[in-house]
Amino acid sequence: MIKKILLLLIIASLASCGSSRKVANQKIKKSSSYKYDPVPEATRITNYALGFQGTRYKYGGTTKKGMDCSGLIYTSFQKEGIQLPRVSRDMAKQGYKIHTNQVNVGDLLFFQTNKSRKVINHVGLVVEIVPGNVSFIHSTTSRGVIVSSLNEKYWNSAYVMARRVF
């Protein structure tokens, strides 16, 4: 019995040891081959958002000409007929809060990038989950629409919460 428990503990620890590869600047392809089986709307929303990779940042933008973080999320959900508020701090009040280890493709991640102001000011959309890594698409002022990892030090320290809106 003790040997079985020990063996299970060893297997469990090996299964959670995924590499935390950096995904910024790496194109995630449109696909539905995720670790979890997302609802069909989530797959369509994320695939639509992934089509904006490389789009430059533009405050208030919602098109291929320029996009800000909440504009990317707003536009992607709107394409599926799901109305969200236009700003990230208001989006953070939609749906329900979920624990980080429960996130799935299509969930929203919220960030507080200005530590002097205790307010949500950035949002990303989960596009891929692999053991030990959550990848999300978002728009940054410096690099436009990119896919990043929640494991990256900057994003991990700015992370506030995850929410599911459908």
Side-chain angles (χ1 to χ4, degrees), residues 121-132:
N121 64 344
H122 192 71
V123 60
L125 173 69
V126 176
V127 294
E128 185 178 47
I129 302 164
V130 294

Side-chain angles (χ1 to χ4, degrees), residues 18-154:
S19 70
S20 59
R21 64 189 168 105
K22 198 170 183 176
V23 287
N25 282 339
Q26 176 183 341
K27 288 248 185 187
I28 301 278
K29 294 183 179 160
K30 293 180 181 184
S31 168
S32 57
S33 61
Y34 304 106
K35 178 180 181 247
Y36 300 104
D37 187 24
V39 295
E41 293 89 352
T43 301
R44 290 192 299 268
I45 289 166
T46 56
N47 283 342
Y48 185 75
L50 286 166
F52 288 98
Q53 281 185 95
T55 300
R56 73 178 182 87
Y57 178 87
K58 181 181 180 190
Y59 180 79
T62 57
T63 68
K64 281 269 196 186
K65 290 183 178 179
M67 183 81 64
D68 68 10
C69 67
S70 57
L72 174 65
I73 306 307
Y74 175 83
T75 302
S76 299
F77 276 79
Q78 188 178 44
K79 177 88 164 102
E80 277 301 305
I82 300 170
Q83 276 307 125
L84 288 178
R86 177 59 183 85
V87 252
S88 56
R89 72 177 161 272
D90 293 334
M91 284 180 188
K93 299 171 188 168
Q94 301 299 303
Y96 56 94
K97 191 173 180 177
I98 54 174
H99 193 274
T100 310
N101 65 8
Q102 296 173 313
V103 297
N104 204 344
V105 170
D107 290 333
L108 300 178
L109 304 178
F110 293 94
F111 302 88
Q112 185 177 306
T113 61
N114 182 345
K115 294 301 179 189
S116 63
R117 293 185 64 223
K118 301 274 187 196
V119 63
I120 302 271
N121 64 344
H122 192 71
V123 60
L125 173 69
V126 176
V127 294
E128 185 178 47
I129 302 164
V130 294
N133 188 50
V134 173
S135 298
F136 62 98
I137 191 165
H138 58 130
S139 185
T140 67
T141 54
S142 60
R143 293 163 53 206
V145 179
I146 59 170
V147 174
S148 298
S149 169
L150 198 51
N151 287 345
E152 292 173 43
K153 186 177 180 180
Y154 178 80

